[in-house]
Amino acid sequence: MQEPPTPKDEDERLQELRSLGLLDTEPEERFDRITRLAQRLFDVPIALVSLVDEDRQWFKSRQGLAATETPRSVSFCGHALGGDEVLLVEDARRDGRFADNPLVTGDPNIRFYAGAPIAGPDGNVLGTLCVIGSEPRQLSSDERRTLEDLAGMVEDEIAFTRLAIADELTGLSNRRGLSFLGRQVLAVCERQNTAAVLVFADLDNLKPINDQHGHEMGDAAISAAASALVSTFRRADVLARVGGDEFAALLAGTDTAEEPIRRLREELAGRSPVPDLPLSVSVGCAVFDPAQPLDLD
């Protein structure tokens, strides 16, 4: 087994990694959504956002893997720190760097690995977005670009860590977050030639709730609507509050939102904080055409 080499800029790299304050933090939906998307697009059991610390690789986001970290000495991702291209291992058993690696000879029995480097705002490679399979596999040029696009989404999330792209009241994305995340998701859909639907939903009865019961009850209605969206839509969908009583959901990989809209209306029916003013939504949809991207501004 070959241990990962130490990059020449290791000190600067570690300094930037630690200054971002991401290590050993709780999972975050904004990263988990990307790994879920990678897991689905590449049809693999494992997808990770791996940050390579001094003596370990720690997973900011993980799908299909229980461990939160592994030693850097056995990491595949550590080998990707020295470049800016996707590290591809088609069959780890036939690669001298990894054939006797414990992650290959034992659980999770890695055979296929593809890791796109993730750079921080200062340009240091901090880790990878990687997809892992238990069977040998090749990667097409389009798949390689898709993985790079998804890694770019992770880089943007890291770069925007300190920017306000989330709605404070609901925890959903705000208008800026929808524009930012939506463009990234639609770029992937365009590359994959897959459909997407953008749903706009105006919350009914918010004004009378505010007027008759006060803004605290109005905030409770907005929070209830946000919870209904989270319960209704898929975990990989981009959900946002884009105005006082306006919400949006971007659904990738489908050309219809009829069923989730029906479920949303059912969910809202029993969530109003004011029984005599039930919650409902007025809805509009736009279907993504890869040849004519949606305007999310």
Side-chain angles (χ1 to χ4, degrees), residues 265-286:
R265 290 190 163 118
E266 291 180 352
E267 281 281 337
L268 284 170
R271 289 180 180 259
S272 177
V274 182
D276 61 332
L277 290 171
L279 296 180
S280 60
V281 286
S282 301
V283 177
C285 298

Side-chain angles (χ1 to χ4, degrees), residues 98-201:
F98 307 109
D100 58 347
N101 187 300
L103 302 178
V104 176
T105 59
D107 189 62
N109 299 296
I110 296 174
R111 298 295 179 266
F112 164 77
Y113 170 93
I118 296 169
D122 295 336
N124 298 295
V125 178
L126 309 178
T128 71
L129 171 70
C130 63
V131 290
I132 295 170
S134 56
E135 298 292 336
R137 175 175 169 178
Q138 295 181 333
L139 201 68
S140 70
S141 57
D142 282 343
E143 287 176 323
R144 185 186 296 265
R145 288 193 295 271
T146 295
L147 188 62
E148 291 170 341
D149 286 345
L150 293 172
M153 293 171 64
V154 176
E155 290 180 343
D156 289 339
E157 285 293 347
I158 291 174
F160 281 88
T161 294
R162 297 178 179 88
L163 293 183
I165 62 171
D167 178 61
E168 185 175 357
L169 176 61
T170 65
L172 303 180
S173 296
N174 58 19
R175 181 178 291 274
R176 178 188 291 178
L178 174 64
S179 178
F180 171 68
L181 294 174
R183 290 180 187 280
Q184 299 292 338
V185 169
L186 292 181
V188 172
C189 289
E190 184 175 7
R191 188 177 301 283
Q192 295 290 320
N193 195 31
T194 58
V197 178
L198 183 61
V199 178
F200 288 103

Side-chain angles (χ1 to χ4, degrees), residues 5-18 20 50-54 72 76-87 113 115-129 151 155 158:
T6 301
K8 295 180 179 179
D9 62 348
E10 180 69 353
D11 291 340
E12 293 80 7
R13 191 189 70 81
L14 289 174
Q15 182 177 358
E16 180 177 9
L17 173 62
R18 292 165 183 173
L20 291 167
S50 174
L51 302 177
V52 182
D53 200 1
E54 184 175 8
R72 179 173 175 174
F76 282 53
C77 297
H79 289 266
L81 298 181
D84 56 3
E85 297 182 351
V86 171
L87 173 64
Y113 170 93
I118 296 169
D122 295 336
N124 298 295
V125 178
L126 309 178
T128 71
L129 171 70
E155 290 180 343
I158 291 174

Side-chain angles (χ1 to χ4, degrees), residues 166-174 219 221-227 230 239-244 247:
D167 178 61
E168 185 175 357
L169 176 61
T170 65
L172 303 180
S173 296
N174 58 19
D219 285 349
I222 292 170
S223 296
S227 295
V230 172
L239 306 178
R241 180 188 177 204
V242 295
F247 296 86

